């Protein structure tokens, strides 16, 4: 009973992931949706690091770093898109963006 | 110098960045940086050439020494060192003159070599001081030559430098240089023409909007082309190849504000991408075929020795051929090259005549064993490379007849001449192909720059509308143009006479199936003579038309920065042919030290090149072919001259005769190849995809649902009308209505709110995962 | 290792609570601040797993850059500072919660089923620890040798994102 359980981390990641999914699904403000996506990515990172520690493999840390870099890129482009939407519509409410409506 | 030749591509690369960063603030807007960089490169290339001649001669001496008399290594080494010293001082003293043409350099070197040999004993002490690191190399040669045994051929070790760039998965990706005959030759060609084009451009594009940008890309182009020719491995070759394509794109679209120009740039880029897929495939095939290496020498050695299976070589060669077809404008991917004339004329001269388009030919020559073995050159009846080349010779020449744009005539002429080179490689005449490449670069650059000089004065490229009678206004341009034209036609003793004959002789001597290529070559020579005569007539003779006849602004001779490069290039057009004078057959009076210098110095000699095989062909000079091709060329000139200058022959044939009109139309439409690409292939691919995407965007999924609903209704109606109106009636109507209703109901789901879609996605994924957990 | 467990559960509680607030709060700025708390706590978990280099990067990049970017985004889109009832779809809450719970159930079940009570080795035993008791050296060695190509690809991706963001956001 000395070590930490692997599942401690994995379940924490699962909870964080689901909270992120919930945020993506229910939030109306596009910036908040992007924040929820960050939660999802963090959940993934926790998993990567936990598996890395479990297997004694440094690859987990390396890929977590890659995910962080990609998250930075994603937020940059995502916020640029949000700004563009705001500039065109004076609103970032996702309800207003319904071009796909049939 | 040979060991540090790798800095040559780095100089223009540095110049690119310097021009980009500081160009605008320089007094000449960055042009001086580019010219200085290329001047430096040219000087270094010349020194490299001279030292390379040195190395070849040393290797030869060493080989003779080991096979013949009991000459000691020491002697050979000292011999080498003194010769080197003598030549170096010679080159230094004579400066530019000595370097004007490799032929004179070669000759001088020979004198130097002879003198040094004579004085070897006297200067022995001197030699000790001068002993360079190259001496180590010489000893190696001596041993290699000795090991070679009974070969009369000697081997010249290429100069190789390489560092590991990065390694991944246990494979080292290196970057380096492989300096041997063809690379050294190309160094000279590229730096010379690039330098002249730089100088020419200062006048030609003077005052342009993006003057600095233009010079920056000229520098980058030179850097990538120099990198390409010195590539040590196929990956580096691929990288530089793409860089060259990128620069071509940027320079063709230099005046991108006009739509046709940016279209032409895109066309060039995309057509080249088609071929690049082949290049990538070929590189990968050879990488695995040669046991996971990109190294060109290793691949070549393994191909020569037969360690790579024939099938792999065949697949690799065919893939690489696609790249050759696109980059070197071979049929059927040549269509971008004439359009590329939308770029500034000096760019056309540099890229689309002299250097970039020969990258494909160079690549074939570089990986020649792969093609030689893979396509069974010289063994089988005919091979793909020769066929492509042969078709291109005739096809390109045919198209050149109907062009009214002077640059397009030259572009199709380039296509045709590149066909000659590919054909020569296809018939195993490697040296002839590279010799032709060398001579062609000189006179074609001269022709392009000449046409630019004319256009600079009349502000148009249209020969029929705005030129004519230019001889009167621009005598200097006229004479240089005529000399270069003569060289292109192959008149004795101008450049192309020698190189084209060597190709024809090469085609002839293989016999049987290859005789067809001799005929193709002769027809090509005839057509070349005819269309170039037409071009000269329309541009320089007859009455001035359009802008040329504008009394208010009469055309005038171009300035010295345009004319001097023309002089140099036409001078080269005269001299270049003598670099490979044959001394067999009717010309056996030519002294050995003058004959076949090009072959002697520039042909790779080593285990990595099939010259060690007996099958490799060195065509003998054939007086019959030489005279025949000259007569055919004169005939072409004569016929075209009779037609245009004297007005003889059935003029107006295309108006009267249906067959002639159809033929003319096919040529004007460029064999309908562009139509095939844009309308049929692109149309077939783009149309449906675009329509599908459009449809999907417009209708979305509800279209499917509605469609299903209406289809069901229609189906219902069909049944209703045709089969039963009684009992089934109500059921059918009901089902139809149900389908439509469900469609309408499902339509409500299409709220357009992405989050709902995401919710469905997640829920669906979760449910599916749950099912998997339960089932498995 | 009781101490570690205590820390773990304390931090995990912070993470879950803050994340919950990120997705439920009615105040945009509060959401961003809660996000900071989540990110910092996740960094703390990384340290618990002996991945201190990733933890440092997490703090620098996420809290230092990304959250600031979010705050700029909030400012530039003139989001209402203070309570805003419009931030959540009232009608979607049930569906969203159900979906999330379904996902959690599936993931939780399969994780427990697969990994059960397996444990992570003690950091001291782990091969992850380099010569001087840190894994930074190991990570950097790995990035710059084995994973060099992905690393370069990531840098190209960042460049592309940079260019893309500028192109999208500039006014013309």
């Amino acid at each position: 009973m000395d070590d930490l359980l692997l599942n401690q981390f994995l379940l924490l990641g699962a909870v964080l992931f689901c909270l992120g999914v919930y945020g993506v699904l229910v939030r109306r403000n596009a910036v908040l949706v992007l924040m929820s996506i960050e939660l999802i990515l963090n959940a993934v990172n926790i998993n990567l690091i936990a598996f890395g520690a479990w297997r004694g493999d440094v690859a987990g840390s390396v890929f977590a770093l890659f995910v962080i870099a990609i998250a930075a890129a994603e937020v940059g482009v995502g916020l640029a898109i949000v700004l563009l939407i705001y500039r065109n519509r004076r609103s970032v409410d996702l309800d207003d963006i319904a071009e796909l409506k049939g | 110098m040979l060991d540090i030749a790798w800095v040559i591509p780095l100089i223009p690369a540095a110049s690119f960045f310097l021009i980009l960063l500081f160009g605008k603030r320089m007094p000449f807007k960055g042009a001086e940086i580019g010219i200085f960089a290329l001047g430096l490169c040219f000087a270094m290339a010349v020194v490299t050439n001279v030292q390379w001649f040195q190395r070849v001669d040393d290797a030869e001496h060493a080989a003779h020494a080991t096979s013949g008399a009991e000459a000691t290594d020491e002697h050979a080494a000292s011999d080498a060192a003194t010769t080197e010293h003598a030549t170096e001082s010679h080159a230094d003293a004579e400066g530019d003159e000595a370097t004007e043409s490799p032929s004179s350099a070669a000759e001088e070197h020979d004198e130097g070599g002879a003198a040094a040999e004579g004085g070897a004993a006297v200067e022995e002490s001197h030699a000790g001081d001068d002993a360079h690191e190259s001496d180590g190399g010489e000893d190696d040669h001596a041993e290699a030559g000795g090991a070679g045994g009974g070969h009369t051929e000697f081997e010249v070790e290429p100069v190789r430098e390489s560092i590991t760039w990065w390694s991944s998965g246990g494979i080292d990706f290196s970057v380096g240089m492989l300096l041997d005959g063809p690379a050294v030759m190309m160094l000279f060609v590229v730096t010379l023409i690039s330098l002249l084009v730089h100088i020419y451009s200062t006048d030609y594009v003077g005052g342009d909007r993006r003057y600095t940008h233009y010079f920056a890309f000229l520098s980058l182009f030179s850097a990538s082309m120099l990198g390409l020719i010195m590539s040590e491995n196929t990956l580096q070759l691929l990288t530089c190849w793409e860089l060259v394509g990128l620069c071509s794109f940027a320079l063709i679209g230099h005046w991108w504000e006009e739509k046709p120009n940016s279209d032409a740039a895109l066309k060039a880029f995309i057509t080249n991408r088609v071929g690049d897929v082949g290049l990538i495939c070929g590189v990968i095939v050879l990488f695995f075929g040669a046991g996971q290496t990109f190294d060109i020498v290793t691949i070549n050695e393994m191909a020569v020795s037969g360690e790579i299976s024939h099938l792999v070589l065949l697949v690799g060669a065919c893939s690489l051929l696609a790249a050759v077809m696109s980059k070197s404008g071979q049929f059927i991917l040549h269509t971008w090259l004439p359009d590329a004339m939308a770029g500034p004329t000096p760019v056309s001269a540099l890229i689309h005549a002299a250097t970039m388009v020969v990258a494909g030919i160079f690549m074939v020559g570089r990986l020649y064993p792969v093609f030689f073995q893979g396509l069974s050159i010289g063994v089988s009846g005919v091979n793909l490379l020769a066929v492509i080349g042969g078709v291109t010779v005739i096809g390109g020449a045919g198209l050149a007849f109907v062009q009214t744009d002077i640059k397009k005539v030259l572009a199709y002429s380039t296509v045709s001449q590149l066909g000659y080179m590919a054909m020569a490689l296809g018939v195993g005449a490697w040296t002839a192909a590279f010799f032709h490449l060398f001579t062609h670069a000189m006179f074609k650059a001269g022709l392009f720059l000449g046409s630019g000089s004319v256009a600079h004065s009349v502000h148009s490229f249209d020969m029929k509308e705005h030129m004519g009678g230019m001889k009167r206004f621009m005598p200097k341009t006229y004479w240089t143009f005529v000399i270069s034209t003569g060289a292109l036609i192959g008149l004795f003793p101008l450049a192309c006479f020698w190189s084209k004959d060597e190709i024809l002789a090469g085609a002839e001597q293989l016999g049987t199936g290859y005789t067809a290529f001799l005929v193709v070559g002769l027809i090509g020579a005839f057509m070349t003579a005819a269309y170039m005569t037409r071009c000269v007539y329309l541009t320089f003779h007859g009455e001035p038309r359009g802008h040329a006849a504008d009394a208010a602004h009469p055309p005038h001779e171009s300035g010295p920065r345009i004319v001097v490069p023309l002089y140099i290039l036409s001078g080269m057009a005269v001299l270049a042919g003598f670099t490979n004078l044959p001394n067999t057959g009717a010309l056996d009076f030519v002294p050995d030290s003058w004959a076949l210098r090009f072959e002697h110095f520039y042909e790779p000699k080593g285990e990595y090149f099939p010259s060690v095989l007996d099958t490799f062909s060195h065509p003998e000079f054939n007086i019959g072919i030489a005279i025949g091709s000259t007569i055919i060329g004169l005939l072409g000139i004569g016929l075209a001259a009779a037609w245009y200058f004297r007005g003889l022959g059935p003029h107006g044939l295309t108006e009267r005769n249906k067959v002639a009109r159809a033929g003319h139309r096919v040529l004007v439409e460029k064999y309908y190849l562009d139509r095939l690409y844009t309308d049929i292939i692109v149309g077939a691919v783009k149309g449906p995809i675009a329509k599908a995407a459009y449809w999907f965007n417009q209708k979305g999924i509800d279209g499917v649902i509605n469609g299903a609903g209406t289809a069901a209704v229609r189906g219902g109606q069909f049944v209703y009308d045709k089969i039963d109106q009684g009992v089934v009636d109500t059921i059918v109507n009901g089902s139809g209505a149900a389908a439509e209703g469900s469609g309408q109901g499902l339509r409500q789901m299409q709220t357009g709110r992405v989050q709902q879609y995401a919710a469905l996605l997640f829920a669906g994924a979760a449910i599916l995962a749950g099912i998997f957990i339960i089932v498995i | 290792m009781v101490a570690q467990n205590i820390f773990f559960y304390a931090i995990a509680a912070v993470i879950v609570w803050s994340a919950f607030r990120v997705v439920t709060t009615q105040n945009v700025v509060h959401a961003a601040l809660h996000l900071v708390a989540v990110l910092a706590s996740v960094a703390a978990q990384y340290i618990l797993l002996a991945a201190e280099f990733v933890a440092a990067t997490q703090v620098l990049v996420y809290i230092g850059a990304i959250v600031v970017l979010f705050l700029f985004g909030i400012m530039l889109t003139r989001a209402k500072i203070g309570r805003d009832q419009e931030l959540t779809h009232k009608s979607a809450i049930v569906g969203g919660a159900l979906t999330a719970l379904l996902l959690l159930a599936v993931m939780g079940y399969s994780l427990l089923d697969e990994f059960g009570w397996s444990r992570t080795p003690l950091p001291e035993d782990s091969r992850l620890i380099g010569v001087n008791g840190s894994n930074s050296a190991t990570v950097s060695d790995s990035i710059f040798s084995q994973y060099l190509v992905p690393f370069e690809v990531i840098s190209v991706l960042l460049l592309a994102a940079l260019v893309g963001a500028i192109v999208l956001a500039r006014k013309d």
Side-chain angles (χ1 to χ4, degrees):
Chain A
M1 191 54 200
D2 275 338
D3 293 356
L4 294 165
L5 289 176
L6 173 63
N7 258 334
Q8 285 177 334
F9 294 96
L10 299 187
L11 287 174
L12 174 67
V15 171
L16 198 53
F17 183 88
C18 292
L19 283 169
V21 167
Y22 173 79
V24 169
L25 296 185
V26 304
R27 287 306 208 175
R28 288 174 70 172
N29 185 312
V31 178
L32 285 172
V33 171
L34 283 178
M35 288 188 196
S36 306
I37 291 175
E38 294 311 308
L39 293 184
I40 295 180
L41 288 172
N42 266 282
V44 172
N45 269 356
I46 292 180
N47 272 23
L48 283 172
I49 300 272
F51 276 118
W54 185 55
R55 298 187 51 203
D57 189 344
V58 80
S61 298
V62 173
F63 278 88
L65 286 172
F66 288 164
V67 170
I68 290 176
I70 289 173
E74 172 254 320
V75 171
V77 176
L79 279 176
I81 293 173
V82 170
L83 276 185
L84 196 66
I85 291 172
Y86 177 75
R87 204 176 295 145
N88 287 332
R89 301 171 170 270
R90 296 280 127 197
S91 157
V92 287
D93 191 335
L94 292 176
D95 280 1
D96 296 345
I97 309 163
E99 260 69 43
L100 282 175
K101 182 171 170 55
Chain B
M1 184 64 221
L2 287 176
D3 296 320
I4 57 161
W6 49 266
V7 297
I8 295 179
L10 298 182
I11 295 170
S15 145
F16 167 69
F17 289 109
L18 284 177
I19 294 176
L20 274 191
L21 291 176
F22 307 114
K24 289 230 161 101
R25 279 173 242 158
M26 303 292 283
F28 296 101
K29 304 237 178 280
E32 68 271 57
I33 303 178
I35 292 175
F36 175 76
L38 261 297
L40 195 62
C41 284
F42 179 62
M44 290 173 79
V46 167
V47 176
T48 311
N49 264 276
V50 171
Q51 295 196 353
W52 177 257
F53 298 159
Q54 193 65 47
R55 190 178 171 96
V56 174
D57 274 347
D58 290 344
E60 192 183 30
H61 288 316
H64 283 315
T66 44
S67 63
E70 282 282 324
T72 58
D73 263 6
E74 195 185 354
H75 204 93
S78 68
D79 219 17
T82 34
T83 325
E84 186 165 322
H85 173 249
T87 323
E88 245 173 331
S89 59
H90 218 118
D92 287 347
E94 302 264 304
D96 284 339
E97 268 176 58
T99 59
E100 201 64 61
S101 80
S103 67
S104 58
E107 285 150 24
E108 270 170 43
H109 158 251
D110 272 322
E111 290 160 25
E117 258 176 285
V122 186
E123 289 191 31
E124 200 120 48
S125 58
H126 201 145
D129 307 334
D130 265 315
H132 288 292
E133 67 274 22
S134 62
D135 284 4
E138 305 311 326
D139 292 338
D140 288 347
H141 294 314
E143 283 161 27
H151 263 295
T152 49
E153 287 281 346
F154 55 97
E155 290 190 10
V156 187
E157 193 88 347
V159 185
R160 300 184 60 186
E161 302 279 333
S162 119
I163 52 164
T164 299
W165 180 19
W166 44 281
S167 61
S168 184
I171 301 155
D172 284 342
F173 298 87
S174 59
V175 57
M177 99 173 163
L178 167 63
L179 203 64
D180 61 354
V184 169
M185 187 273 285
M186 288 296 288
L187 271 185
F188 177 78
V189 171
V190 173
T191 51
L192 170 65
I193 291 179
S194 185
L195 177 63
L196 293 179
V197 163
H198 269 79
I199 294 168
Y200 181 98
S201 300
T202 54
D203 192 346
Y204 191 85
V205 296
D208 190 80
R209 288 171 287 230
R210 284 184 291 277
Y211 188 77
T212 306
H213 166 273
Y214 173 86
F215 275 95
F217 270 97
L218 275 190
S219 279
L220 182 62
F221 170 77
S222 309
S224 34
M225 189 67 202
L226 291 169
L228 188 148
I229 60 185
M230 292 164 79
S231 291
E232 178 258 0
N233 56 60
T234 50
L235 205 65
Q236 192 185 347
L237 187 91
L238 178 71
T239 314
C240 293
W241 180 282
E242 298 294 349
L243 263 177
V244 163
L246 175 77
C247 296
S248 163
F249 170 78
L251 287 169
I252 294 170
H254 180 66
W255 294 309
W256 46 261
E257 286 88 349
E258 287 147 54
K259 186 83 166 70
N261 295 350
S262 59
D263 280 353
L266 267 182
K267 185 175 181 180
F269 200 63
I270 291 169
T271 313
N272 270 305
R273 291 280 81 65
V274 175
D276 290 347
V277 175
L279 181 62
I280 293 171
C281 291
V283 166
I284 293 170
V285 166
L286 292 179
F287 172 74
F288 287 108
Q292 307 217 334
T293 177
F294 289 111
D295 187 58
I296 288 174
V297 172
T298 315
I299 291 174
N300 279 354
E301 277 172 356
M302 290 176 79
V304 169
S305 63
E307 281 172 70
I308 309 177
S309 79
H310 182 262
L311 182 69
V312 172
L313 287 178
L314 181 64
V315 173
C318 289
S319 310
L320 292 176
L321 263 186
V324 177
M325 281 162 73
S326 68
K327 193 64 114 199
S328 288
Q330 302 295 300
F331 256 62
I332 54 185
L333 293 178
H334 69 287
T335 53
W336 67 272
L337 209 146
D339 285 33
M341 296 302 130
T345 307
V347 169
S348 307
L350 174 62
I351 300 188
H352 307 118
T355 53
M356 177 185 114
V357 290
V358 300
I361 303 293
F362 179 81
M363 191 262 286
V364 178
R366 176 53 97 203
L367 290 165
Y368 200 52
V370 173
F371 290 88
F372 195 80
Q373 307 285 5
L375 299 171
S376 310
I377 291 171
V379 181
S380 66
V382 287
N383 63 68
L384 193 58
L385 184 59
V387 169
I388 288 173
V391 171
T392 310
V393 168
I394 304 285
L399 290 170
F401 268 110
V402 294
Q403 304 301 322
T404 56
D405 184 323
I406 182 169
K407 274 172 78 184
K408 289 210 169 163
V409 174
L410 297 176
Y412 280 114
S413 161
T414 305
V415 169
S416 172
Q417 298 301 313
L418 290 167
Y420 269 110
M421 297 173 207
M423 194 172 85
L425 288 167
V427 299
W430 188 96
T431 314
F434 269 66
F435 183 37
H436 195 58
L437 190 164
F438 175 68
T439 58
H440 173 258
M442 300 302 164
F443 61 72
K444 189 50 73 63
L447 285 173
F448 265 110
L449 295 183
S451 76
S453 168
V454 174
H456 196 52
S457 145
V458 298
H459 305 291
S460 167
F461 288 105
D462 199 316
M463 296 189 296
K464 285 212 158 149
E465 297 292 327
H466 296 298
M467 292 185 191
M470 299 301 293
K471 180 184 174 187
R472 233 176 303 154
F473 306 113
M474 319 182 74
K476 295 173 189 166
T477 305
Y478 172 71
W479 285 111
T480 52
F481 198 87
V482 164
I483 291 172
S484 298
T485 304
L488 172 56
I489 293 171
L491 295 179
F492 179 82
L494 302 178
C496 202
F497 172 78
W498 305 105
S499 55
K500 200 178 280 181
D501 276 347
E502 210 172 312
I503 295 177
L504 296 177
E508 189 263 346
Q509 75 166 22
L510 279 181
T512 56
Y514 287 98
T515 319
F517 296 111
L518 173 64
V519 177
V520 165
L522 288 174
I523 295 173
F526 173 76
M527 293 169 87
T528 308
Y531 69 70
M532 282 315 292
T533 311
R534 169 182 179 270
C535 174
V536 169
Y537 172 78
L538 285 176
T539 310
F540 291 102
H541 293 273
E543 283 306 305
R545 300 172 292 269
H547 291 176
D550 188 354
H553 303 282
H556 54 88
E557 183 58 271
S558 304
R561 279 174 295 171
I562 287 185
V563 175
V564 169
L566 290 179
Y567 286 159
I568 295 173
L569 286 170
S570 56
M572 286 300 293
V574 177
L575 293 175
F578 295 107
T579 51
N580 206 26
L581 271 184
N583 68 341
T584 49
L587 289 175
D588 55 2
F589 57 85
V590 176
D592 267 356
S593 57
W594 282 57
L596 295 175
R597 291 294 94 185
F598 191 91
E599 178 184 315
H600 178 69
F601 288 123
Y602 290 140
E603 190 181 286
K605 297 176 181 62
E607 295 291 340
Y608 71 100
F609 197 72
S611 66
V612 295
L613 304 176
D614 295 334
T615 49
F616 190 71
S617 73
H618 285 121
E620 306 266 298
F621 181 69
N622 187 326
I623 189 76
I625 290 177
I627 293 174
S629 74
T630 310
I631 290 173
I632 279 175
L634 288 173
L635 199 65
I637 297 175
L639 280 178
W643 178 287
Y644 288 105
F645 285 80
R646 303 249 172 257
L648 298 177
H651 281 271
L653 190 67
T654 47
E655 279 83 46
R656 280 182 273 117
N657 186 317
K658 212 186 246 176
V659 179
R661 191 162 57 234
H664 186 258
R665 175 119 196 93
V666 168
L667 288 178
V668 170
E669 288 284 348
K670 299 173 257 180
Y671 305 123
Y672 292 98
L673 278 175
D674 272 344
R675 284 283 171 86
L676 173 73
Y677 296 151
T678 52
D679 293 356
I680 299 178
I681 296 178
V682 176
V685 175
K686 188 180 77 181
I689 289 178
K691 266 191 207 132
Y694 178 76
W695 179 85
F696 196 76
N697 282 345
Q698 290 298 309
K699 307 267 168 97
I701 304 163
D702 63 324
V704 181
I705 293 160
N706 284 346
T710 45
V713 172
R714 283 211 194 115
Q717 235 143 30
F718 176 82
V719 176
Y720 172 78
D721 288 342
K722 301 280 177 187
I723 302 168
D724 204 338
Q725 300 194 355
V727 190
V728 196
D729 195 18
T730 45
I731 307 167
V732 169
N733 271 353
S735 72
E740 191 176 358
S742 62
Q744 289 293 345
L746 280 172
R747 190 167 174 233
Q748 301 304 313
M749 269 170 60
Q750 303 302 316
T751 55
R753 283 184 39 213
V754 189
Q755 283 165 307
Q756 282 193 4
Y757 301 165
L760 289 174
L761 176 77
F762 277 117
I767 291 168
L768 271 181
I771 292 171
F772 274 125
I773 290 171
I774 292 164
V775 171
I776 299 165
Chain C
M1 286 300 142
V2 180
Q4 288 192 0
N5 269 312
I6 291 171
F7 274 113
F8 171 83
Y9 285 110
I11 298 167
V14 174
I15 289 179
V16 172
W17 170 246
S18 300
F20 183 72
R21 291 302 294 156
V22 170
V23 297
T24 54
T25 179
Q26 297 300 325
N27 185 327
V28 189
V29 180
H30 284 185
L33 296 178
H34 280 298
L35 186 65
V36 173
V38 175
L39 299 173
S41 314
V42 170
Q45 298 285 27
Y46 293 161
I47 291 178
L48 214 56
L49 284 164
E52 74 276 352
F53 184 70
V54 186
T57 315
Q58 167 101 356
V59 172
L60 285 176
V61 175
Y62 262 117
I63 303 176
I66 294 182
V67 171
V68 174
L69 212 55
F70 274 124
L71 290 173
F72 268 112
I74 292 169
M75 191 181 77
L76 289 172
T77 57
R78 312 266 158 83
K80 208 162 142 195
I81 311 292
R83 286 180 70 82
D84 181 357
Q85 300 301 327
E86 299 290 296
L87 286 179
T88 307
H89 290 295
K90 296 286 179 295
S91 58
I93 288 178
V94 179
L98 273 179
T99 309
L101 284 175
L102 190 60
L103 267 178
L104 184 61
V106 171
M107 285 196 292
Y109 175 77
S110 43
L111 286 177
L112 288 173
D113 190 43
E114 181 68 32
F115 298 107
W117 300 101
S118 47
R119 290 163 186 287
T120 59
L122 277 175
E124 297 87 60
D125 306 339
S126 167
R127 277 178 288 137
L128 297 179
I129 307 299
V131 271
N132 40 18
S134 110
N135 84 332
S136 303
T138 338
V139 170
S140 59
D141 279 352
S142 188
I143 284 185
F144 290 106
S145 58
Q146 201 182 356
Y147 296 104
L148 185 63
V149 180
F151 178 75
E152 296 293 342
V153 171
I154 292 274
S155 43
V156 174
L157 177 102
L158 274 176
L159 178 68
L162 180 76
V163 175
I166 291 170
V167 169
L168 282 173
R170 71 168 178 184
K171 287 185 176 144
D172 46 13

